[in-house]
Amino acid sequence: MKCPICGPKLSICCSLLSIWGIVMLALLGVFYRIHSVALFEDLPITSEDWKKDNYTLSVIHDKYNQTAYNCFVAAGIYVLCFFFSCCQQRMGSKANYEMS
């Protein structure tokens, strides 16, 4: 018999938070991928880095693409957390069913 790590309430909470994280980070990744101007201030670039590359626009595009990739990776991690939470929920419900 497998033993769940999380209880039923915690696994439901983690599932809901994972869904929220997946949606939010996927949308952020899409907006960074299309180089949204509203997110320019959140790019990890300093004026020294930009000056070092002679103020080229390709540096900005690279930062947008790298940040979009980071958002998609984080969304993927949330997908794994969602599957783990769902498995924990199913194990918990099976354990409660077998004990009654």
Side-chain angles (χ1 to χ4, degrees), residues 37 42 67 84 88:
V37 178
D42 296 324
T67 306
F84 175 75
Q88 291 297 306

Side-chain angles (χ1 to χ4, degrees), residues 32-33 35-37 39-41 43-47 49-51 53 55-68:
Y32 274 115
R33 180 65 66 186
H35 303 179
S36 176
V37 178
L39 297 172
F40 178 75
E41 292 180 358
L43 290 176
I45 190 167
T46 61
S47 59
D49 291 338
W50 201 23
K51 183 178 179 181
D53 292 324
Y55 301 102
T56 59
L57 195 57
S58 65
V59 174
I60 301 296
H61 290 295
D62 290 341
K63 294 293 183 178
Y64 268 114
N65 292 334
Q66 181 61 43
T67 306

Side-chain angles (χ1 to χ4, degrees), residues 4 6 11-13 22 28 30-31 37-39 45 50 66 71 74 76-77 81 84-85 89 92 95 99:
C6 302
S11 58
I12 290 172
C13 179
I22 292 166
L28 265 177
V30 167
F31 291 136
V37 178
L39 297 172
I45 190 167
W50 201 23
Q66 181 61 43
C71 288
I77 292 171
C81 292
F84 175 75
S85 298
Q89 174 64 29
M99 294 185 83

Side-chain angles (χ1 to χ4, degrees), residues 17-35:
L17 288 174
S18 296
I19 291 171
W20 175 72
I22 292 166
V23 170
M24 185 193 73
L25 287 169
L27 285 174
L28 265 177
V30 167
F31 291 136
Y32 274 115
R33 180 65 66 186
I34 63 172
H35 303 179

